[in-house]
Amino acid sequence: MSVSNSDLSSSASPSDDSQRASDPLLGRRLLIVEDDPYIALALEETLSEFGLIIAGMARSLEEAVRLSRGDGVDLALLDVNIGHEKIDPVADALAARGCPFIFTTGCGRAGLPEAHLERAMVEKPFYVEEILAALRAELARAEER
């Protein structure tokens, strides 16, 4: 599954100062877990343009687990399948410390970890607006708790 840069393009301008100043994502530290290097790079470049700070980029489950246990992450974007491994331990670690996250997948809800079926999900291929909206919604939900 690949996502082209055009899939991550946006009609929204990341430089619209009036909207950016009030964006709850501005300055938040994001962990991206994605095993496809092209998707990972496109996400990193695009999401940083919208004011997110990329706190970590993991392409393996081991690295993702390590990064998810640190306190330098405010929210996370998790690919459900990392190679042949499932993202479950990373989702569990983030949930245990109350860190909001969303899943990305090409498999639909059936592929989500059983313990996290209620979490937000964005299906591949996706657009940046979908990712941003899901991250904002999950952050708001976490702040209500």
Side-chain angles (χ1 to χ4, degrees):
M1 163 111 269
S2 66
V3 176
S4 69
N5 285 337
S6 63
D7 289 333
L8 289 175
S9 66
S10 171
S11 59
S13 170
S15 61
D16 183 42
D17 293 336
S18 62
Q19 286 183 335
R20 286 197 64 188
S22 63
D23 191 339
L25 296 178
L26 190 63
R28 299 289 181 146
R29 298 166 300 176
L30 177 70
L31 168 62
I32 299 173
V33 181
E34 172 60 61
D35 60 344
D36 182 302
Y38 299 108
I39 296 173
L41 181 60
L43 284 168
E44 182 178 22
E45 289 177 359
T46 304
L47 294 174
S48 64
E49 288 176 10
F50 282 87
L52 284 155
I53 297 166
I54 308 306
M57 177 73 70
R59 291 187 48 215
S60 71
L61 189 62
E62 181 181 336
E63 185 178 15
V65 168
R66 182 183 58 77
L67 290 170
S68 69
R69 292 185 174 148
D71 61 357
V73 173
D74 298 320
L75 31 120
L77 183 61
L78 308 177
D79 186 2
V80 171
N81 297 303
I82 304 300
H84 298 298
E85 298 180 290
K86 300 293 259 173
I87 198 70
D88 301 44
V90 177
D92 293 343
L94 292 168
R97 61 184 203 82
C99 182
F101 60 89
I102 65 168
F103 294 109
T104 62
T105 182
C107 302
R109 285 221 168 262
L112 297 184
E114 191 72 30
H116 303 285
L117 291 174
E118 80 289 352
R119 294 286 178 164
M121 175 200 79
V122 177
E123 199 147 1
K124 294 177 180 177
F126 45 68
Y127 291 92
V128 69
E129 290 90 353
E130 294 173 292
I131 298 287
L132 293 168
L135 287 171
R136 287 182 189 110
E138 198 60 26
L139 185 59
R141 197 175 356 256
E143 289 176 350
E144 289 173 1
R145 292 181 199 141

